[in-house]
Amino acid sequence: MHILLLAVGAALVNNVILSQFLGLCPFLGVSKSVNTATGMGGAVIFVMTIASAVTSIVYYGILSPLGLDYLNTIVFILVIAALVQFVEMFLKKNMKSLYESLGVYLPLITTNCALSNVQNEYTILESIVNGFGSAVGFAISITILAGIREKLEYSDIPEAFKGTPIVLITSGLMAIAFFGFAGLI
């Protein structure tokens, strides 16, 4: 039950985008199309889940026993950057159109891999679940925003609100809506 609450909390209550404001650049830049947003969401889920597992194993298996805790940020960034490069190469080879539509935002997945797993003293399993939940929360948020943005293209919006202003207002309203989940856990 604790693991389920951790996953739901990471995805909905402590959503990395709408309550912690991490990874806003890809959130705002890639959310123009639902297809692109779901592709980015899938990439983030893969990278954050694997990064959480690998970084926890490295921390608890190597860094902590050797007293090298101070190197955790450097090691974590290297692991996450390597995973992002792997995803980038895979998409470039197998999903060319998704790779091109994600563009410069794909390497920015690194910013979403919050290093809070060790800071919260999670076990390896809890770190994986937290990383997966956080990534699912990102995927949910970016997909919802992309769906709303696609509908807004056909709406009559005052000239002053077209483009970035309406996207920021929509994001703010989504953040307020997600705060409703705060009483869930």
Side-chain angles (χ1 to χ4, degrees), residues 17-168:
I17 293 291
L18 301 174
S19 69
Q20 297 178 15
F21 307 113
L22 297 173
L24 285 176
C25 190
F27 177 69
L28 298 173
V30 179
S31 61
K32 294 177 184 170
S33 153
V34 172
N35 290 336
T36 306
T38 54
M40 177 61 103
V44 169
I45 289 171
F46 174 79
V47 170
M48 283 187 71
T49 304
I50 302 298
S52 296
V54 172
T55 55
S56 291
I57 291 168
V58 167
Y59 180 78
Y60 290 115
I62 299 171
L63 297 179
S64 187
L66 295 176
L68 300 173
D69 296 344
Y70 60 91
L71 293 176
N72 64 358
T73 302
I74 294 169
V75 172
F76 291 179
I77 289 171
L78 290 173
V79 167
I80 293 164
L83 285 167
V84 169
Q85 287 300 311
F86 172 73
V87 169
E88 193 169 9
M89 289 185 305
F90 176 81
L91 290 177
K92 188 175 184 178
K93 183 175 182 176
N94 297 314
M95 299 175 179
K96 190 85 167 158
S97 62
L98 180 60
Y99 171 77
E100 290 172 358
S101 63
L102 291 177
V104 71
Y105 298 106
L106 190 58
L108 292 176
I109 292 175
T110 308
T111 63
N112 296 324
C113 296
L115 303 176
S116 64
N117 291 334
V118 172
Q119 293 169 350
N120 291 328
E121 297 182 7
Y122 288 149
T123 65
I124 293 173
L125 177 63
E126 289 171 337
S127 294
I128 294 168
V129 169
N130 184 55
F132 177 75
S134 296
V136 167
F138 176 86
I140 289 169
S141 301
I142 197 169
T143 304
I144 290 172
L145 182 62
I148 293 171
R149 285 181 76 174
E150 283 184 355
K151 297 290 183 189
L152 286 174
E153 296 223 2
Y154 303 108
S155 300
D156 186 26
I157 300 172
E159 193 64 35
F161 290 107
K162 287 186 179 177
T164 304
I166 195 67
V167 173
L168 293 175

